[in-house]
Amino acid sequence: MAVLDQLTSQQAIDLENKYGAHNYHPLPVVLTRGEGVYVWDVEGKQYYDFLSAYSAVNQGHCHPKIVNAMVQQAQTLTLTSRAFYNDMLGKYEKFACEFFGFDKLLPMNTGAEAVETALKLCRKWAYEVKGIHENEAEIIVCENNFHGRTTTIISFSNDPVARKNFGPYTKGFIKIEYDNLVALEETLKNNPNVAGFLVEPIQGEAGVYVPSEGYLTKAKALCEQYNVLFIADEVQTGIARTGRLLATCGNCSCINKNCSSSPDVKPDVLILGKAISGGVYPVSAVLANDSVMNVIKPGNHGSTFGGNPVAAAVAIAALEVVRDEKLAENASVLGELFRAELNKYIKTSKIVNLVRGKGLLNAIVINEDEDSNTAWDICLALRDNGLLAKPTHGNIIRFAPPLVMTEEQLLDCVSIIIKTLKQFEK
Ligand SMILES: *Cc1c(COP(=O)(O)O)cnc(C)c1O
């Protein structure tokens, strides 16, 4: 078979099975094209994308403005490494720092790399600014976290599938219950060597767990009280997904003046990835103010591709789209509508217990135990009915469409979802 021959779905799946490592278990659908909220499989069937590549494609598939920025830059200069300056990186850093209200940005490529960067930054700050003895810094993390797949990150995961037989694990992490301020305060009180608190504003992979109102604000205040860095992993929640520019940031000094949320929870260290590129290119970043970021000196950290001109051009365009198309506002309005519509159905449903989420990061909990196959089977039926979603656990399905969706499209999706769920009513 020639490389450019059009494959059938089965041929494409067979090739991946034979030649690819089996590190994922994809839903059986083979996509070949995407535009806005839609994707198409190789047989030409159209679907609503309700995963958005784990919230990387917030701006919709193949957004012309972002793709254009990438193509233009790719034809001009792609990679210099950081051995030399390039004329795009500084522009992007200024743009992103002003956009999110921080002094400095450290560019990386993937979410996991940005998390690793934040951990290194936090430790170095602890030794050089806070004055913790070398090698004794601890970072508090939350149970059921998801921060990526590197050896250090899985060291503080409690997902057995992600951890088993990948030891020995990296030390220096204390795990506490998510959404538990008492546990946080106790841990801070009893451990003078704590340097940072790493938290997801909403636990996405765990099943879209939204913490109690005020949790983040109070956690930040505790971190301040104990001189500990509040590190927000907004790789999934960031960039308008939850109905504001950042899930942690209400009226921060960002330029999104329209977000009218509760008082700011401004992280000391902000981790971004996924949608900072609109899903067209791997781009991630760590942002912090000078008092923290200035501990990083030449040679301490880096990446050959981090901060390359294509990434810089793409990220500027992707953030401009979020601002110009008011995606945070749209996610907020459509999210309310989505939960309201599903709640009407859930009142009488025997198969769904609840819907939860913020903005367009939502999940439904199926009336089954965690190791049932029902959520998977529902996702197969959703696929057959023209909508793609994926379980996060045996009984939880995440719903996270691109934020460029219209109200009409959303209501169409709601009717597909409810029609499908009704097929599973006993
Ligand atoms: C996806 C994700 C990551 C990891 O990003 P990769 O680009 O897959 O390495 C880290 N943190 C959170 C919260 C994520 O959702």
Side-chain angles (χ1 to χ4, degrees):
M1 148 196 347
V3 173
L4 292 178
D5 282 355
Q6 181 62 64
L7 301 179
T8 64
S9 289
Q10 197 53 52
Q11 285 171 323
I13 290 170
D14 291 346
L15 281 177
E16 282 201 34
N17 273 335
K18 183 158 180 348
Y19 295 101
H22 293 183
N23 59 326
Y24 277 88
H25 179 46
L27 202 78
V29 59
V30 180
L31 303 173
T32 186
R33 188 161 77 83
E35 191 184 315
V37 299
Y38 299 113
V39 285
W40 286 265
D41 71 15
V42 293
E43 279 82 22
K45 183 173 162 71
Q46 177 180 310
Y47 306 88
Y48 285 107
D49 180 358
F50 252 61
L51 182 67
S52 305
Y54 300 97
S55 296
V57 191
N58 288 0
Q59 296 88 335
H61 286 276
C62 299
H63 194 292
K65 179 169 168 165
I66 308 172
V67 170
N68 201 28
M70 176 158 85
V71 169
Q72 298 267 316
Q73 187 59 46
Q75 289 170 335
T76 311
L77 180 68
T78 58
L79 185 62
T80 59
S81 83
R82 300 285 303 277
F84 312 117
Y85 290 91
N86 71 67
D87 65 354
M88 288 303 297
L89 178 57
K91 275 190 213 167
Y92 157 55
E93 288 169 332
K94 176 175 192 289
F95 184 87
C97 283
E98 288 172 2
F99 204 82
F100 295 107
F102 287 88
D103 292 341
K104 280 188 170 54
L105 176 151
L106 198 160
M108 298 298 283
N109 313 283
T110 67
E113 280 177 318
V115 172
E116 289 276 350
T117 304
L119 297 173
K120 285 176 70 178
L121 178 63
C122 178
R123 284 177 170 182
K124 202 155 190 290
W125 171 87
Y127 301 127
E128 295 177 10
V129 180
K130 182 165 177 173
I132 293 176
H133 285 294
E134 201 180 339
N135 296 327
E136 289 183 1
E138 303 267 8
I139 295 175
I140 301 175
V141 299
C142 294
E143 277 163 18
N144 300 322
N145 66 71
F146 181 83
H147 298 286
R149 306 295 195 154
T150 63
T151 38
T152 289
I153 293 171
I154 57 125
S155 294
F156 55 82
S157 161
N158 55 313
D159 175 359
V161 180
R163 279 171 64 86
K164 177 114 169 74
N165 288 339
F166 294 115
Y169 304 114
T170 309
K171 291 189 286 191
F173 299 96
I174 303 173
K175 211 176 297 156
I176 64 168
E177 197 184 11
Y178 187 63
D179 196 19
N180 185 336
L181 291 164
V182 176
L184 178 60
E185 183 155 26
E186 283 298 302
T187 310
L188 288 167
K189 203 185 287 171
N190 297 327
N191 297 277
N193 289 336
V194 172
F197 174 49
L198 172 64
V199 64
E200 298 161 84
I202 292 172
Q203 286 192 326
E205 294 309 298
V208 188
Y209 284 98
V210 182
S212 320
E213 190 69 39
Y215 170 66
L216 296 168
T217 320
K218 289 180 193 134
K220 170 69 171 98
L222 284 171
C223 287
E224 264 169 42
Q225 190 185 329
Y226 288 89
N227 193 24
V228 157
L229 298 182
F230 182 95
I231 308 167
D233 181 347
E234 293 236 29
V235 171
Q236 188 160 156
T237 54
I239 329 277
R241 171 53 60 186
T242 67
R244 19 196 223 172
L245 184 56
L246 298 173
T248 47
C249 174
N251 294 316
C252 62
S253 53
C254 72
I255 58 173
N256 184 5
K257 293 292 180 223
N258 291 331
C259 71
S260 59
S261 3
S262 51
D264 350 354
V265 187
K266 183 158 174 178
D268 300 300
V269 179
L270 172 66
I271 305 168
L272 296 174
K274 295 195 169 120
I276 197 171
S277 74
V280 313
Y281 200 77
V283 181
S284 69
V286 172
L287 291 102
N289 282 343
D290 284 335
S291 57
V292 175
M293 196 65 98
N294 282 346
V295 302
I296 296 291
K297 301 285 188 305
N300 288 159
H301 196 56
S303 155
T304 303
F305 280 84
N308 73 74
V310 176
V314 162
I316 293 173
L319 292 173
E320 282 177 345
V321 167
V322 169
R323 178 194 65 199
D324 297 344
E325 300 187 14
K326 300 195 174 13
L327 296 187
E329 291 87 328
N330 198 45
S332 173
V333 171
L334 292 191
E336 296 286 341
L337 179 64
F338 182 76
R339 288 184 298 279
E341 290 294 315
L342 278 183
N343 272 323
K344 282 188 214 159
Y345 161 69
I346 287 170
K347 268 191 201 147
T348 60
S349 171
K350 291 186 200 69
I351 187 78
V352 182
N353 288 339
L354 62 92
V355 59
R356 64 172 170 239
K358 251 191 180 169
L360 283 175
L361 181 59
N362 294 291
I364 56 169
V365 180
I366 306 297
N367 188 14
E368 288 280 350
D369 45 60
E370 277 233 19
D371 41 5
S372 80
N373 284 324
T374 311
W376 177 265
D377 293 338
I378 290 171
C379 287
L380 290 176
L382 284 169
R383 174 201 64 184
D384 295 340
N385 291 333
L387 186 146
L388 297 179
K390 189 103 196 276
T392 65
H393 284 266
N395 62 335
I396 302 174
I397 304 172
R398 171 175 28 203
F399 288 130
L403 311 182
V404 293
M405 188 162 267
T406 64
E407 185 179 317
E408 195 190 349
Q409 289 167 334
L410 186 91
L411 291 173
D412 191 22
C413 293
V414 166
S415 71
I416 294 174
I417 291 168
I418 292 174
K419 176 179 87 181
T420 307
L421 290 169
K422 282 184 175 163
Q423 295 171 8
F424 287 80
E425 300 263 354
K426 281 167 210 136

